[in-house]
Amino acid sequence: MIDSASFLEENRGSRGRGFNRMKPGDVLTHLGSIVASLMFVWALFQQYFPYQLRHNIDKYFQRAFSFVYPYIQITFSEFTGERLMRSELYSAIENYLSSTSSTQAKRLKADVLKNNQSLVLSMDDHEEVADEFQGIKLWWASGKNISKTQTLSFYPVKDEKRYYKLTFHKRHRDLVIGPYLSHVLKEGKAINVRNRQRKLYTNNGSHWSHVMFEHPATFETLALEADKKKEILEDLTTFSQAEEFYARIGRAWKRGYLLYGPPGTGKSTMIAAMANLLNYDIYDLELTAVKDNTELRKLLIETSSKSVVVIEDIDCSLDLTAQRRKPKENEEATGEQDPKLKPPKEDREPKQSQVTLSGLLNFIDGLWSACGGERLIVFTTNHVEKLDPALIRKGRMDKHVELSYCSFEAFRVLAKNYLLLDDHQLFDKIRQLLEQTKITPADVAEHLMPKTVPPNAEVCLSSLLQGLEAAAAEEEEARSKAEEEGMNKEEKEISAIVEETKEENSASKEESKYNQQ
């Protein structure tokens, strides 16, 4: 009887010896013939089998394959539509994967943002990284499709269409399509805001142009009382985190600020500090360059979210208050103007902006103000009493901030900024003079500006003292002059009353004599 184990061993050995007897070239030839046969069969299948049969076979094959491969893939292309716009979702995914890519991918792409101060890494084409969300694992892969464009050129241009592909198990479909992709979009946008180079926009008619915004102002260096500074900081921070609150109460996610006070009190600097705190762009709107309300709405639509829309010196931008009274006053005063009295065309004034108070109010608080979100609207003025009450009421300008003359607390901030001083022997005298005089933070800062290298704090503080004493003397002189003018005016009024009384007495005597006669 033949031992089965020895038979199998002998048979295995004979096959192994037969395989070993084949030359490497014969092995490749054998494999090549097999591949060629399969390709020939596939070509015959594609050529001669009916489309419906092939479609059904492919459909059932994919269905059978899904049992073996239970994963779902979603592709996110770089461009949407006819490649006219870069996909917002693609950009968000790119930002979201930047941190994961730097720790997992072997091949990376680097870019520099924020004026060459921030390095951003992203994974190169045909790389794959893993991600985890609520205990499930997902895989992101980057790729690109290359095709030659139809152009008449010696150097054909390659059309590259990049994409990201997300792979996950089919049992996590609802979690991935809903919460996970929302999480990716939100985090990607937040990263983009942190990494972006912020811009300062200004308008030329109905178009915005911009420069990079690099103002260094912060609330720490702002010459303002600590209590007021803390109040504004808390209000801004609360606003920036209140998206769900504004949606719940049914209001547009915006907030209005009115900054008012004498020139040189830091209104523009505060706007820069607000933008730096919240990481917002600034849109400096010049109303006199806007032709009409339609252009104003167009400008508003083109502003982005996370921005500060600023109208400086609103009382000087347009005569908005007078527009309510002008038509009525003209009718009462002159009625219809005679066409013959109209000046020649070349002598008339150039056409002014037709922006109305109604258009501006709709810009701030009307239906058009809901376009976009997370937006601050800031007005500045030196004369708040000149503004129409409808323009600055609560709900439009929600928070009114008065920036007044320099206090001692604000001076200490400036001394720390300019001279690195927390205390000095001249501070007490400066405190007394600041309580007696009105001087703006801009004037104080000019005195504290270093005059020598290295800076001499004694010289700067002495210069400030001289400036305060001169301002106090001017105020005293102005006060004395006003009092003197008031006294002279009072004396003139008394003299006029006396003269009038004398005339009345004289007239009564004449009348008495006449009656006696």
Side-chain angles (χ1 to χ4, degrees):
M1 189 173 179
I2 301 174
D3 186 8
S4 60
S6 61
F7 174 78
L8 289 173
E9 184 66 29
E10 182 180 354
N11 193 30
R12 188 185 302 114
S14 64
R15 288 200 304 270
R17 286 192 298 273
F19 182 78
N20 290 334
R21 284 197 297 268
M22 293 182 66
K23 296 179 180 179
D26 297 336
V27 175
L28 293 176
T29 303
H30 186 64
L31 291 175
S33 64
I34 293 174
V35 172
S37 300
L38 291 174
M39 292 178 65
F40 178 73
V41 172
W42 177 251
L44 289 175
F45 176 76
Q46 293 284 348
Q47 183 70 25
Y48 296 107
F49 278 69
Y51 169 77
Q52 189 63 35
L53 178 61
R54 286 187 283 118
H55 176 71
N56 290 334
I57 292 174
D58 183 64
K59 181 177 68 174
Y60 288 115
F61 176 78
Q62 293 290 344
R63 187 175 297 176
F65 185 73
S66 65
F67 290 103
V68 182
Y69 186 79
Y71 290 92
I72 296 175
Q73 291 183 339
I74 304 177
T75 301
F76 303 91
S77 299
E78 182 177 8
F79 293 97
T80 58
E82 298 181 356
R83 299 204 52 189
L84 298 178
M85 282 186 66
R86 196 168 193 258
S87 169
E88 184 179 359
L89 185 55
Y90 181 91
S91 301
I93 293 170
E94 187 175 44
N95 294 325
Y96 175 77
L97 294 176
S98 59
S99 58
T100 307
S101 303
S102 61
T103 57
Q104 294 187 29
K106 295 181 180 179
R107 291 181 297 119
L108 300 166
K109 294 185 294 186
D111 195 9
V112 178
L113 300 175
K114 280 195 174 181
N115 198 21
N116 299 329
Q117 295 179 2
S118 178
L119 182 66
V120 177
L121 298 175
S122 59
M123 61 181 178
D124 204 354
D125 299 325
H126 309 297
E127 280 287 307
E128 183 176 280
V129 295
D131 191 21
E132 190 171 334
F133 179 75
Q134 295 186 10
I136 68 171
K137 198 167 186 180
L138 313 96
W139 295 267
W140 287 98
S142 63
K144 65 179 178 180
N145 297 321
I146 302 176
S147 61
K148 292 183 179 179
T149 58
Q150 300 295 325
T151 56
L152 297 175
S153 173
F154 290 105
Y155 304 98
V157 179
K158 292 182 178 179
D159 187 18
E160 297 182 348
K161 300 179 180 178
R162 287 182 167 80
Y163 60 86
Y164 284 108
K165 185 173 289 185
L166 173 63
T167 304
F168 56 92
H169 200 282
K170 64 181 181 181
R171 64 171 172 264
H172 305 308
R173 177 194 291 265
D174 293 338
L175 180 62
V176 171
I177 293 177
Y180 177 69
L181 289 181
S182 298
H183 166 73
V184 170
L185 182 60
K186 184 176 180 180
E187 288 297 316
K189 286 182 176 180
I191 293 171
N192 181 57
V193 169
R194 291 196 297 268
N195 291 339
R196 69 176 176 171
Q197 173 64 60
R198 289 179 298 116
K199 299 178 180 66
L200 171 62
Y201 292 84
T202 186
N203 64 298
N204 181 14
S206 61
H207 302 285
W208 293 108
S209 57
H210 71 270
V211 296
M212 296 304 171
F213 179 69
E214 298 175 349
H215 200 293
T218 64
F219 274 89
E220 292 181 0
T221 60
L222 200 62
L224 195 65
E225 292 79 5
D227 292 343
K228 184 176 290 187
K229 191 183 299 186
K230 181 181 178 182
E231 179 185 349
I232 298 171
L233 276 169
E234 290 178 349
D235 186 79
L236 290 171
T237 304
T238 302
F239 166 78
S240 66
Q241 299 172 358
E243 180 179 8
E244 294 181 0
F245 171 76
Y246 277 86
R248 179 169 58 82
I249 64 175
R251 285 187 57 181
W253 191 12
K254 65 175 186 60
R255 190 157 178 80
Y257 270 74
L258 175 67
L259 309 182
Y260 65 96
T265 52
K267 295 184 284 295
S268 298
T269 306
M270 173 168 282
I271 293 171
M274 294 164 73
N276 285 331
L277 173 71
L278 300 176
N279 208 11
Y280 285 2
D281 291 329
I282 294 182
Y283 289 84
D284 187 9
L285 178 61
E286 178 55 57
L287 278 180
T288 56
V290 182
K291 184 174 66 175
D292 51 29
N293 294 337
T294 302
E295 281 197 357
L296 187 63
R297 287 194 293 268
K298 185 174 183 292
L299 287 169
L300 178 64
I301 292 172
E302 292 178 356
T303 60
S304 64
S305 59
K306 295 184 180 295
S307 61
V308 184
V309 180
V310 180
I311 303 179
E312 293 198 270
D313 297 321
I314 182 66
D315 55 304
C316 302
S317 296
L318 291 173
D319 190 10
L320 297 169
T321 304
Q323 288 181 9
R324 287 187 168 188
R325 302 189 302 265
K326 197 175 292 181
K328 186 175 179 181
E329 290 177 357
N330 288 345
E331 290 174 5
E332 292 178 354
T334 60
E336 286 192 14
Q337 188 176 3
D338 189 350
K340 297 180 180 179
L341 299 178
K342 289 185 179 179
K345 186 176 181 179
E346 60 272 12
D347 295 337
R348 297 174 194 170
E349 294 182 359
K351 188 175 181 180
Q352 296 181 349
S353 172
Q354 299 299 310
V355 175
T356 63
L357 177 61
S358 174
L360 185 60
L361 296 180
N362 193 33
F363 175 88
I364 301 167
D365 194 35
L367 294 174
W368 290 95
S369 67
C371 299
E374 197 171 355
R375 182 185 290 122
L376 292 177
I377 299 176
V378 181
F379 288 172
T380 70
T381 180
N382 298 331
H383 306 284
V384 67
E385 68 280 356
K386 293 183 179 180
L387 299 181
D388 193 298
L391 191 65
I392 59 176
R393 67 164 175 80
K394 300 295 184 180
R396 291 192 174 117
M397 292 294 104
D398 304 284
K399 193 165 184 63
H400 296 191
V401 179
E402 182 181 8
L403 300 176
S404 189
Y405 295 101
C406 188
S407 64
F408 180 70
E409 191 172 355
F411 158 74
R412 289 181 68 96
V413 176
L414 293 173
K416 179 67 175 178
N417 294 342
Y418 284 78
L419 304 175
L420 303 178
L421 287 179
D422 291 318
D423 198 7
H424 193 274
Q425 59 183 0
L426 296 177
F427 275 20
D428 289 337
K429 191 171 183 180
I430 291 174
R431 180 205 293 268
Q432 295 174 4
L433 287 171
L434 283 174
E435 292 174 353
Q436 300 171 8
T437 59
K438 293 180 179 179
I439 185 171
T440 64
D443 292 331
V444 173
E446 181 57 32
H447 287 291
L448 297 182
M449 188 71 70
K451 312 295 189 297
T452 59
V453 179
N456 189 326
E458 193 79 26
V459 172
C460 296
L461 293 176
S462 298
S463 173
L464 176 59
L465 280 174
Q466 293 175 6
L468 288 170
E469 290 170 352
E474 290 177 3
E475 289 182 13
E476 183 63 30
E477 183 179 354
R479 193 180 301 111
S480 300
K481 187 176 180 180
E483 291 177 356
E484 184 178 348
E485 289 178 353
M487 292 177 62
N488 292 336
K489 184 178 180 181
E490 187 177 353
E491 289 177 357
K492 289 179 181 178
E493 290 176 353
I494 293 173
S495 300
I497 292 172
V498 170
E499 290 296 328
E500 186 178 352
T501 304
K502 288 181 179 179
E503 291 178 0
E504 291 177 354
N505 292 336
S506 176
S508 61
K509 287 180 180 179
E510 291 293 333
E511 184 179 358
S512 169
K513 289 181 181 179
Y514 178 79
N515 291 333
Q516 288 177 0
Q517 292 176 356

